[in-house]
Amino acid sequence: MEDDFDIPTAGKFNETDGEDAIGDDMDAPEGGAGGKVGEEKEIGKDGLNKKILNEGDGWDTPINGDEVEVHYVGSLLDGTRFDSSLDRELPFKFKLGLGKSNSEQFHTIILLSKSSNRIWNTTHESISAHFLIFVFAITGHVIQGWDDGIKTMKKGEKSLFTIPPALAYGESGSPPTIPPNATLQFEIELLSWTKVKDISKDGCILKTIVTEGQNWQTPKDPDEVLVKYEVRLEDGSLVSKSEEVEFTVKDGCFCPALSKAVKTMKKGEKALFTVKPQYGFGENGRDPSGGDECVVPPNTTIQITVELVSWKIVSEVTTDKKVLKKILKEGEGYDRPNDGAIVQVKLVGKLEDGTVFVNKGHNETPFEFKIDEEQVIDGIDRSVKTMKKGEVAVLTIHPEYGFGSIESHQESAIIPANSNVYYDIELISFEKEKDTWELSTQEKIETSGRKKEEGNTLFKRQKYERASKRYEKALSFVEYDSTFSDDEKQESKILKISCNLNNAACKLKLKDYKQTVKLCTKVLDADSKNVKALYRRAQAYIQLVDLDLAEMDIRKALEIDPKNRDVKLEYKLLKEKVKEHNKKDAQFYGNIFAKMNKLEHLQSSNGARKQETVPMTIDSKA
């Protein structure tokens, strides 16, 4: 009879990969989605053939786990039609990748037939329209040929699939309509599909996109998101609903699933999340105190519809997370200020209780300062370098990058020691300091010299870390001098030696002795008789307790400049260090030898004691 089957059921099991990938070769059978209209092509190696009747749109195809919507007509090879969704004027929906073996499918049908007399008692014509839809609702599976074929289709495509018995109903067939070992033909039109993704990677949070979002960015743990959500039980009972709620992603909201869910969403996106108890309310369930919300029983799956209205990006300006920037308004383009840039801003500084201690740039003239010149606190310097023109942000700055451990008097209030401070800041405009590639060779030398002098000034003020960075910056302008003239190369060499030597002095002050050695070695590679480089490298070697190398450098420095007072003093210090070191070594080894002697004495004493306590033996033959 023509309408004994509404849907093709059963097939081989395909494990859902859960990944929202495009053109995933793990999902698609060999043969792919290609082909011309009217051309028949084999898909895979099991005899499944496909002929495209109408080309689809785009290039994307569904993957395992996606919910697809199709129209189809099924018939035998002799043209006998046994089922059609078109006759019912109702598209058929199912999830890809849930195929089962033929024997499992028919075992399910038999069980259902025995336990569902109400269905079998309906009219013969209604068996197709009700019973097998019920079978699908319980099993959730289609034949393997459908799974394999539909994964090669584009949206709107119509194709004719010829499906061998092994990928359909096999040796058993489906009497009386489908005989044993029957090859089937299905004309299928892929109307649409909905992506379903396993975002928890364990099958416990499944995501279905309802409305696509904008752009490509998604929230991260530190970000603050604004969402609308609705939570229901699987039977549709309302659990909770919120028109708008704001929360930090890592802190979450309502239940653990919500934090994981928003991290997969784009701005404006709306999605349905099916959440197992592990990420919902677990073994305890949820019992709201009064109100219209319903109870969530223990171990219950819930469904959460979430719309990501917007979010504020919170970035960690410093690696120790002590300077945070929350973007309230995105800036323009991609360019950002660099060290030395002149910036114009509006800013308001506040204490934790909201007390305003500074307000600058909100009159006719923006507040202007130069980055990396200590005209503002370090936290602002570092943050502004991450901003775009027109960007508005809130900064959270810990004392280490703010006003430190000393009470500070500002224009409108006193900042207590060890206080976090907060700034509302808008970057109006900026003028970047020229990069190396923008300068002529002579400009590079001049800029390098100026940066070196800035480093010298910082060194004298005991700002060793900032001085070191300034020397490194100075070096960057002359480091690569292949285009310099001979005279410019000579100037460049002098600057390189000077910057590396001065930077080595900074590293000594900062107790970075290994870096001191590297910098001095660079100088000595260019000038093997540089006494300062030998002297500073020897100082670093002494601190690293590499006394032999320290002595070699000092002796060489004294050969070059026998009257150098600083080197002589360092040599004296070295001798004291060697004496102290030898004394420690003597004491160390002396202790070891003493312990060894004591151990030998104890062992020999124990041996003698054992000899004395040996019992006397009597010769029984005497």
Side-chain angles (χ1 to χ4, degrees), residues 1-176:
M1 296 192 181
E2 279 193 7
D3 56 354
D4 277 353
F5 279 83
D6 278 345
I7 58 172
T9 52
K12 298 176 185 176
F13 178 76
N14 258 5
E15 187 173 282
T16 303
D17 64 4
E19 293 296 322
D20 190 6
I22 293 171
D24 192 336
D25 290 336
M26 296 295 289
D27 279 342
E30 288 185 28
K36 299 176 182 178
V37 173
E39 180 182 87
E40 191 163 16
K41 183 178 181 180
E42 184 175 3
I43 298 172
K45 298 178 181 179
D46 296 320
L48 174 64
N49 287 324
K50 170 186 176 181
K51 181 193 289 186
I52 297 176
L53 305 179
N54 290 322
E55 184 64 66
D57 300 326
W59 49 268
D60 200 8
T61 58
I63 63 171
N64 280 343
D66 289 353
E67 291 178 348
V68 298
E69 183 177 38
V70 300
H71 265 311
Y72 68 92
V73 176
S75 48
L76 304 178
L77 281 181
D78 63 6
T80 302
R81 183 167 161 177
F82 56 81
D83 188 26
S84 171
S85 64
L86 296 172
D87 293 346
R88 296 187 298 277
E89 297 181 353
L90 182 67
F92 172 53
K93 294 181 181 180
F94 70 99
K95 184 179 287 189
L96 275 178
L98 298 181
K100 292 174 72 176
S101 68
N102 298 313
S103 60
E104 285 181 289
Q105 182 260 328
F106 285 108
H107 179 63
T108 303
I109 290 179
I110 291 167
L111 288 176
L112 286 169
S113 67
K114 289 179 178 179
S115 62
S116 189
N117 292 326
R118 182 182 61 80
I119 294 174
W120 284 113
N121 288 337
T122 60
T123 61
H124 185 73
E125 287 75 22
S126 66
I127 289 174
S128 164
H130 298 286
F131 173 67
L132 287 169
I133 286 177
F134 180 59
V135 170
F136 178 79
I138 299 299
T139 64
H141 307 95
V142 295
I143 57 174
Q144 187 67 42
W146 270 49
D147 262 343
D148 292 348
I150 290 174
K151 281 187 285 190
T152 70
M153 299 180 73
K154 303 171 186 175
K155 184 178 179 181
E157 178 184 322
K158 182 186 286 188
S159 291
L160 177 65
F161 292 94
T162 303
I163 304 177
L167 301 180
Y169 297 97
E171 296 179 358
S172 302
S174 182

Side-chain angles (χ1 to χ4, degrees), residues 19 46 55 63 74 124 149 208 409 474 499 526 530-531 547-548 588:
E19 293 296 322
D46 296 320
E55 184 64 66
I63 63 171
H124 185 73
T208 303
H409 290 254
C499 287
N530 192 293
V531 174
L547 304 181
D548 290 338
F588 174 74

Side-chain angles (χ1 to χ4, degrees), residues 429-446:
S429 63
F430 60 90
E431 183 181 344
K432 292 180 71 173
E433 182 172 77
K434 285 186 177 180
D435 288 317
T436 306
W437 59 270
E438 298 177 281
L439 303 175
S440 67
T441 53
Q442 193 55 44
E443 284 176 325
K444 289 178 182 179
I445 290 171
E446 290 170 0

Side-chain angles (χ1 to χ4, degrees), residues 170-375:
E171 296 179 358
S172 302
S174 182
T177 308
I178 298 175
N181 295 310
T183 296
L184 308 179
Q185 287 191 321
F186 283 94
E187 186 178 291
I188 300 174
E189 181 182 4
L190 179 56
L191 303 175
S192 64
W193 74 88
T194 304
K195 293 286 186 186
V196 177
K197 186 175 181 181
D198 178 6
I199 67 168
S200 58
K201 308 298 182 186
D202 56 8
C204 292
I205 307 179
L206 299 179
K207 173 185 177 182
T208 303
I209 296 176
V210 178
T211 305
E212 289 285 349
Q214 305 164 16
N215 302 321
W216 54 271
Q217 290 178 300
T218 56
K220 304 294 185 292
D221 277 337
D223 296 346
E224 292 182 5
V225 294
L226 181 68
V227 304
K228 298 178 182 179
Y229 70 82
E230 183 176 279
V231 185
R232 293 183 180 273
L233 301 180
E234 288 185 295
D235 65 4
S237 302
L238 181 66
V239 173
S240 181
K241 183 174 183 179
S242 176
E243 286 304 319
E244 282 191 351
V245 62
E246 189 172 48
F247 62 92
T248 302
V249 174
K250 66 180 176 183
D251 294 338
C253 175
F254 189 70
C255 71
L258 213 51
S259 178
K260 288 185 172 291
V262 296
K263 286 196 284 187
T264 70
M265 300 180 73
K266 303 169 188 173
K267 183 179 178 181
E269 181 180 320
K270 188 175 183 180
L272 173 66
F273 297 88
T274 301
V275 180
K276 295 290 179 67
Q278 293 91 318
Y279 295 94
F281 295 99
E283 297 178 355
N284 298 322
R286 177 178 182 266
D287 188 4
S289 54
D292 299 328
E293 298 181 353
C294 73
V295 171
V296 177
N299 299 311
T300 299
T301 295
I302 57 176
Q303 293 187 324
I304 309 177
T305 303
V306 184
E307 180 183 350
L308 179 55
V309 179
S310 63
W311 83 87
K312 296 165 187 170
I313 298 172
V314 179
S315 58
E316 296 162 355
V317 176
T318 57
T319 54
D320 57 9
K321 303 180 182 179
K322 291 185 176 179
V323 180
L324 302 177
K325 182 185 74 169
K326 177 166 66 177
I327 298 175
L328 303 182
K329 178 189 170 187
E330 284 283 349
E332 306 168 9
Y334 300 95
D335 210 10
R336 295 175 171 86
N338 58 358
D339 282 336
I342 297 172
V343 300
Q344 295 82 37
V345 302
K346 294 179 182 179
L347 63 83
V348 177
K350 302 175 185 177
L351 298 177
E352 196 162 5
D353 63 4
T355 300
V356 173
F357 60 82
V358 68
N359 188 332
K360 292 186 176 182
H362 287 86
N363 51 21
E364 293 181 2
T365 307
F367 172 54
E368 183 175 286
F369 66 93
K370 190 174 183 179
I371 291 179
D372 201 31
E373 288 292 336
E374 293 191 321
Q375 296 174 5

Side-chain angles (χ1 to χ4, degrees), residues 347-525:
L347 63 83
V348 177
K350 302 175 185 177
L351 298 177
E352 196 162 5
D353 63 4
T355 300
V356 173
F357 60 82
V358 68
N359 188 332
K360 292 186 176 182
H362 287 86
N363 51 21
E364 293 181 2
T365 307
F367 172 54
E368 183 175 286
F369 66 93
K370 190 174 183 179
I371 291 179
D372 201 31
E373 288 292 336
E374 293 191 321
Q375 296 174 5
V376 293
I377 58 173
D378 193 24
I380 292 180
D381 253 353
R382 291 171 183 256
S383 298
V384 170
K385 287 195 293 183
T386 70
M387 297 178 71
K388 303 172 189 175
K389 181 181 177 181
E391 183 177 321
V392 180
V394 175
L395 310 179
T396 301
I397 301 174
H398 286 238
E400 293 90 327
Y401 299 93
F403 295 93
S405 58
I406 300 173
E407 184 177 273
S408 177
H409 290 254
Q410 296 298 304
E411 62 183 40
S412 302
I414 297 173
I415 299 175
N418 298 311
S419 292
N420 288 350
V421 288
Y422 306 85
Y423 285 89
D424 299 328
I425 185 166
E426 179 180 357
L427 179 57
I428 305 300
S429 63
F430 60 90
E431 183 181 344
K432 292 180 71 173
E433 182 172 77
K434 285 186 177 180
D435 288 317
T436 306
W437 59 270
E438 298 177 281
L439 303 175
S440 67
T441 53
Q442 193 55 44
E443 284 176 325
K444 289 178 182 179
I445 290 171
E446 290 170 0
T447 305
S448 178
R450 187 172 65 251
K451 294 291 179 186
K452 188 198 81 169
E453 290 305 319
E454 291 172 3
N456 292 348
T457 301
L458 288 166
F459 187 89
K460 290 171 185 175
R461 291 166 53 195
Q462 299 182 3
K463 303 283 186 179
Y464 302 122
E465 190 169 345
R466 294 189 65 235
S468 174
K469 289 180 181 177
R470 204 58 59 94
Y471 292 131
E472 289 169 2
K473 186 70 174 177
L475 191 65
S476 70
F477 289 97
V478 293
E479 196 164 11
Y480 305 104
D481 57 3
S482 58
T483 60
F484 287 16
S485 67
D486 290 341
D487 289 342
E488 287 170 340
K489 284 183 179 179
Q490 189 57 36
E491 290 181 81
S492 157
K493 181 180 178 181
I494 293 168
L495 279 167
K496 287 179 189 177
I497 289 172
S498 181
C499 287
N500 281 324
L501 267 178
N502 292 354
N503 198 6
C506 291
K507 297 300 182 183
L508 275 173
K509 294 289 186 180
L510 295 167
K511 299 183 179 180
D512 187 351
Y513 303 118
K514 289 184 178 179
Q515 195 61 34
T516 303
V517 170
K518 288 181 181 179
L519 290 165
C520 291
T521 302
K522 282 184 179 181
V523 173
L524 291 165
D525 287 342

Side-chain angles (χ1 to χ4, degrees), residues 501 524 527-536 553 556-558 560-561 564 567:
L501 267 178
L524 291 165
D527 178 10
S528 61
K529 295 185 177 182
N530 192 293
V531 174
K532 284 186 178 180
L534 289 165
Y535 168 61
R536 286 174 187 165
D553 278 350
K556 187 171 182 179
L558 287 173
I560 299 165
D561 187 1
N564 191 302
V567 178

